[in-house]
């Protein structure tokens, strides 16, 4: 596992920015300090969100923007699962220590990870895991093959307590929504005519293609701006050269005039 640890040591400088809450400075986790994304795209932990809600309002500790929090519920905001994946990845491999199996009580060294259960497994537990009919579709990878944080990608689950563990597998494209919801959220709150149900995978592909198109447009504008900047620089240099040339010509003209005046004066 030394190869992974060495690679993470080189990235240790990102710890405070990506792994810790900007307000309380504690590291994010999956329990009381989940990373929560505010509408301004700043991220704080769920504990600071809970403690920061006053009179159904929350103020961002970074930019000071204030947001309405319906019913003073922290579920109004989204969990940053990508950041949580990074935290789990770093916590698992940054220490360079062996990882214990999370499924048995024997403390055996884990050699695998179930991506669906998000659990580390020893070899015997892996065999038991794949022999259970309901778990046969689970993807299990060897720890030795984990090279990237994407191997820690977690399933996005609904944060509403009564919908606990329901996956966010529906995208509501309604004008007032535009967000992912679970099946129970859809039935309870998104069944009206002003809500539009879309498959989340298709929506992801659409949004990705839209972003790529926008990226191409931005890149083209950057190239055009660079060319314009080069042209402006050339024009500025040319104007400077012309200015110097004109100044020299004017100085030369006045020198000739002075010379002629002095010559005329001496002649008289």
């Amino acid at each position: 596992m030394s190869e992974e640890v060495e690679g993470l040591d080189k990235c240790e400088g990102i710890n405070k920015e990506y792994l810790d809450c900007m307000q309380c400075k504690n590291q994010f986790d999956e329990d009381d300090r989940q990373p929560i994304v505010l509408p301004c795209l700043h991220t704080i932990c769920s504990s600071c969100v809970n403690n920061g809600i006053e009179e159904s309002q929350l103020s961002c500790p970074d930019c000071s923007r204030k947001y309405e929090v319906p019913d003073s519920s922290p579920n109004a905001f989204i969990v940053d699962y990508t950041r949580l994946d990074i935290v789990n990845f770093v916590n698992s491999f940054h220490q360079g220590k062996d990882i214990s199996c999370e499924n048995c009580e024997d403390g055996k060294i884990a050699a695998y990870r179930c991506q669906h259960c998000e659990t580390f497994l020893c070899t015997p537990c892996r065999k038991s895991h794949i022999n259970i009919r309901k778990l046969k579709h689970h993807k299990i990878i060897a720890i030795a093959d984990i090279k990237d944080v994407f191997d820690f990608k977690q399933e996005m689950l609904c944060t509403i307590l009564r919908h606990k563990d329901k996956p966010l597998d529906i995208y509501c494209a309604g004008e007032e929504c535009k967000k992912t919801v679970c099946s129970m959220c859809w039935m309870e709150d998104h069944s009206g005519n002003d809500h539009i149900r879309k498959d989340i995978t298709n929506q992801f592909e659409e949004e990705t293609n839209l972003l790529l198109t926008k990226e191409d447009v931005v890149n083209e504008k950057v190239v055009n701006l660079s060319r314009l900047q080069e042209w402006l620089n050339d024009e500025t240099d040319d104007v400077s050269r012309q200015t110097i040339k004109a100044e020299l010509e004017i100085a030369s003209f006045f020198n000739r005039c002075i010379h002629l005046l002095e010559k005329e004066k001496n002649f008289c």
Side-chain angles (χ1 to χ4, degrees), residues 215-248:
E215 182 185 26
D216 290 339
V217 172
V218 170
N219 289 336
E220 184 179 352
K221 289 184 177 180
V222 169
V223 171
N224 290 337
L225 286 173
S226 297
R227 290 173 180 169
L228 178 60
Q229 184 64 55
E230 290 177 4
W231 179 81
L232 287 173
N233 291 339
D234 292 340
E235 289 296 306
T236 301
D237 292 341
D238 187 56
V239 168
S240 297
R241 288 191 296 268
Q242 294 294 335
T243 301
I244 294 172
K245 181 180 178 181
E247 289 174 348
L248 291 173

Side-chain angles (χ1 to χ4, degrees), residues 101-162:
C101 176
E102 296 176 310
N103 196 59
C104 64
E105 298 179 356
D106 299 334
K108 292 187 175 71
I109 303 296
Y112 301 90
R113 187 174 192 270
C114 176
Q115 288 187 298
H116 284 77
C117 299
E118 300 167 11
T119 303
F120 288 103
L121 304 169
C122 62
T123 301
C125 285
R126 172 187 174 272
K127 291 180 180 178
S128 300
H129 202 79
I130 61 179
N131 285 330
I132 298 175
R133 182 179 299 176
K134 291 184 177 180
L135 307 181
K136 283 185 177 294
H137 68 285
H138 285 199
K139 182 179 181 181
I140 299 177
I141 57 177
I143 290 178
D145 294 334
I146 296 177
K147 305 289 185 182
D148 196 289
V149 68
F150 289 108
D151 291 325
F152 273 67
K153 185 177 180 181
Q154 303 185 57
E155 186 175 25
M156 296 180 66
L157 304 175
C158 187
T159 55
I160 298 176
L161 290 178
R162 64 180 184 276

Side-chain angles (χ1 to χ4, degrees), residues 49-64:
V49 170
N50 285 322
N51 295 332
I53 298 175
E54 295 181 358
E55 297 180 355
S56 296
Q57 279 195 334
L58 177 69
S59 179
C60 173
D62 190 280
C63 65
S64 300

Side-chain angles (χ1 to χ4, degrees), residues 35 79-88 149-150 154 156:
V79 177
D80 187 346
Y81 286 99
T82 299
R83 198 173 299 236
L84 199 55
D85 292 342
I86 296 173
V87 171
N88 290 334
V149 68
F150 289 108
Q154 303 185 57
M156 296 180 66

